[in-house]
Amino acid sequence: MEPLRDVDPARIGTHALLARLGAGGMGQVYLGRSPGGRLVAVKVIRDEITGHPEALARFRREAETVRAVRSAYTANLIDASLAGAPYWLATEYVAGPTLGHAVAERGGLPADTCRRLFAALAEGLASVHAYGVTHRDLKPQNVILGAQGPQLIDFGIARGVGETALTQDGQAPGTPGYTAPEVLLGAEAGAAADVFALGATLAYAATGRPPFGTGVATTVSYRAVHEPVDVAGVEPGLAALIEACVAKDPAERPAPREVIARCGVRDALVDDPVYLGLGALGEAVPVHEMRTQGPGMMPGYTPTQGVAVSAPRRGRTGAWVAAGVALAVVGAVAVWKLVPFDGGGSGGAVRDGADKGGVTTEPPPVQGGQTPAATGSRGASKPAAEYIDNNQISRYVWTGSPDRDLAVQGVGQCNQPAEEKSPGAGFQSAVSTTSVNGKPGRSASIKMRIKYAEMEQSAPAPYYVSVAVKSPHDIEPSTGKPFPMDNRAVGYTSRPADIYTHYKSGGDVTLTYPDDFTMHAAGRTWPAVPLSADPGDWTVVFYHVEDDPTKYASIACSGFRVG
């Protein structure tokens, strides 16, 4: 729980806002007080995505699902405003930590406590299923350990029988490590998929470890489809029940009622001393994170840490335009590209086409992203994070020119616009690699600069940019080998560099892949894989980075072909 900020409203509808409970992809969640004095959790959809029909449909679905499901295991809907902005809903406020937070603090739970919790959550699922609803995102963060028993929260991607799926770009609903194999492979998420998520959730509760390990989202999902759940050290009877629930074939999983019977509980969960002790762990109130579907779940994360993801922001919609000036880089020709700086118009690109001066080489470029701290008349700014966390889904895919040599030089296009308009007057990038007889070179060169920095009226505040390079396919960090699936991870990233390092001079920041790149995910760091590990079209995304490793937004996209 955090205090309200100056930007927060004092009221939403008739509810007075008291504090912040959490935030996520869809918006902000507040602790509120109803006119009669009842505490409520108020979810407010973000202004930036109110223009997205699918996001609004998902938010309305959550409200209607919570309204329809009247269960002892779910928070009841109190009020909602779904007709016009601001869109919001208010539910009962349930005090207590999430299961994810409690286990992260305490560690794995005793077998008897797990069985009681298993039975209670299975009963909750049976109650929800009786209304014809599947939750589709059961996980430790979506279970609140309330004083009267566990509560299921976040029905943002739940579905009723016969309803049309709401997904983005073919992405499976749910969270990697808790999403059933059949769903990951394209089937509908039915009641059996909730049972899989229940088993995975209890595996985490019993071991204190993510059920299918950590890593980027596709790596975790691959394990969920092909490898056994981690129940090492779990009491054999409980381990067998967990393994039954996470069977790869949905037809082999027990129904919730069978799970309850196999738990064989004889005492109330709220009388369990371990369960009672969990309520005192961490915050006195849960962080109700908005875990609705969009823009996907988090690559490179420990599935129980509850890192919030960012939904797509309004950004430029103009296409990239290649400039007429070329630069010789690492034995190849890299084409400088200018990102329109007017939020999507063409003025910047047209002006770049008139450039005749080539690239400024003095003062010398900054190598490896090692940018000096801002000094002198530079505007005040918080220092950037030392790295960016691989905690987002990246849907950026760069496709190179049909001409192989041009594609090696970075000529091609990305599949979608950036989230945030670029800084200043003319952000440019140039990328390229070498290719000898069709074989990939050892490195790629990536340059970026503010072409029209001299147009700034005064020295601008530092603006930090980190470059992400991702291979065509997902890479298993521990082996460096590609999986046969598209790469949705952010990728290997550079240390954030101040793009205005060469204010007034137009000099460029130069980076070399793989030397200047690493992957930061799940609290670990991996070196970048060599280009030869995955020939094809590699994607390069430029991110504006704030002072938090998890706070960054794309400003440009490019790429290069390997091999």
Side-chain angles (χ1 to χ4, degrees):
M1 182 183 295
E2 298 177 358
L4 294 175
R5 302 176 186 174
D6 292 340
V7 296
D8 294 322
R11 307 183 70 85
I12 290 291
T14 61
H15 306 286
L17 301 187
L18 307 177
R20 287 181 164 221
L21 290 177
M26 289 289 285
Q28 182 68 46
V29 189
Y30 297 99
L31 176 65
R33 185 181 62 243
S34 72
R38 185 175 188 175
L39 290 179
V40 294
V42 184
K43 296 185 178 184
V44 184
I45 196 169
R46 298 194 318 161
D47 289 341
E48 296 94 319
I49 57 175
T50 55
H52 292 246
E54 187 169 300
L56 289 177
R58 186 170 294 112
F59 192 72
R60 290 188 175 111
R61 168 176 285 174
E62 177 175 13
E64 293 307 315
T65 301
V66 176
R67 189 193 308 275
V69 177
R70 310 292 291 185
S71 169
Y73 295 93
T74 61
N76 291 325
L77 184 71
I78 303 298
D79 196 4
S81 176
L82 307 175
Y87 300 91
W88 57 271
L89 63 86
T91 63
E92 289 180 293
Y93 172 70
V94 181
T98 64
L99 176 61
H101 178 75
V103 173
E105 289 291 316
R106 183 198 184 282
L109 306 180
D112 286 345
T113 302
C114 284
R115 284 192 177 85
R116 295 185 180 105
L117 182 60
F118 217 153
L121 290 175
E123 190 171 66
L125 277 184
S127 175
V128 170
H129 291 171
Y131 285 89
V133 172
T134 51
H135 189 285
R136 303 209 307 167
D137 199 19
L138 176 61
K139 58 185 176 181
Q141 289 85 11
N142 285 344
V143 175
I144 295 179
L145 305 181
Q148 303 302 314
Q151 295 272 307
L152 301 176
I153 63 169
D154 199 345
F155 285 81
I157 61 172
R159 285 183 61 194
V161 175
E163 287 186 316
T164 302
L166 289 176
T167 60
Q168 292 186 348
D169 301 331
Q171 179 193 341
T175 300
Y178 300 90
T179 302
E182 68 272 18
V183 180
L184 294 170
L185 296 174
E188 291 294 330
D194 277 353
V195 173
F196 180 95
L198 174 64
T201 296
L202 263 294
Y204 170 73
T207 65
R209 302 184 297 271
F212 293 97
T214 62
V216 296
T218 45
T219 299
V220 176
S221 295
Y222 179 88
R223 297 190 192 113
V225 173
H226 298 289
E227 299 178 6
V229 68
D230 176 9
V231 287
V234 178
E235 187 271 325
L238 178 60
L241 180 54
I242 290 172
E243 289 170 332
C245 289
V246 299
K248 306 304 182 186
D249 184 350
E252 296 180 0
R253 297 172 201 149
R257 295 297 180 189
E258 183 181 345
V259 173
I260 297 170
R262 290 180 63 173
C263 286
V265 299
R266 296 292 182 268
D267 304 304
L269 176 63
V270 294
D271 292 332
D272 185 299
V274 175
Y275 182 85
L276 290 175
L278 296 178
L281 292 175
E283 296 181 323
V285 295
V287 177
H288 293 315
E289 293 158 348
M290 300 277 292
R291 286 290 182 260
T292 47
Q293 183 81 4
M297 300 314 297
M298 301 161 283
Y301 72 112
T302 302
T304 55
Q305 287 180 336
V307 182
V309 295
S310 298
R313 307 176 188 180
R314 288 181 181 173
R316 62 181 185 86
T317 57
W320 282 53
V321 180
V325 180
L327 172 71
V329 180
V330 199
V333 178
V335 178
W336 280 99
K337 299 180 181 71
L338 175 69
V339 180
F341 61 86
D342 55 359
S346 60
V350 171
R351 182 161 45 194
D352 181 68
D355 174 49
K356 305 294 182 183
V359 179
T360 302
T361 58
E362 293 294 333
V366 174
Q367 300 290 336
Q370 303 300 315
T371 306
T375 58
S377 62
R378 301 294 299 278
S381 176
K382 293 181 179 179
E386 290 294 311
Y387 61 90
I388 67 174
D389 199 345
N390 202 330
N391 71 324
Q392 296 184 14
I393 283 284
S394 172
R395 292 188 176 82
Y396 289 100
V397 176
W398 179 85
T399 303
S401 167
D403 185 311
R404 182 181 64 83
D405 291 335
L406 290 177
V408 168
Q409 299 164 16
V411 177
Q413 62 181 11
C414 274
N415 63 327
Q416 66 181 48
E419 299 168 308
E420 211 176 76
K421 66 180 180 180
S422 59
F427 175 81
Q428 285 186 309
S429 66
V431 301
S432 71
T433 186
T434 56
S435 181
V436 181
N437 297 325
K439 296 182 179 180
R442 293 184 177 181
S443 64
S445 177
I446 302 165
K447 294 175 179 282
M448 55 184 175
R449 66 180 182 180
I450 295 293
K451 182 177 175 61
Y452 300 106
E454 70 275 8
M455 295 178 62
E456 298 286 348
Q457 297 300 312
S458 59
Y463 186 96
Y464 293 97
V465 177
S466 177
V467 181
V469 177
K470 67 173 188 172
S471 51
H473 303 97
D474 186 45
I475 301 289
E476 167 57 56
S478 62
T479 65
K481 303 295 184 181
F483 283 133
M485 58 182 67
D486 292 340
N487 192 349
R488 293 292 185 91
V490 171
Y492 299 94
T493 57
S494 67
R495 182 179 177 183
D498 178 14
I499 198 64
Y500 285 109
T501 297
H502 304 297
Y503 168 63
K504 288 285 187 183
S505 72
D508 51 281
V509 175
T510 302
L511 299 162
T512 300
Y513 183 90
D515 298 354
D516 298 324
F517 291 80
T518 51
M519 178 183 289
H520 300 269
R524 296 179 59 188
T525 301
W526 288 271
V529 297
L531 296 176
S532 58
D534 194 18
D537 286 346
W538 287 54
T539 302
V540 178
V541 184
F542 300 82
Y543 289 100
H544 173 212
V545 187
E546 299 182 30
D547 58 340
D548 184 322
T550 66
K551 294 180 180 179
Y552 51 94
S554 62
I555 60 171
C557 175
S558 189
F560 57 87
R561 180 166 295 167
V562 172

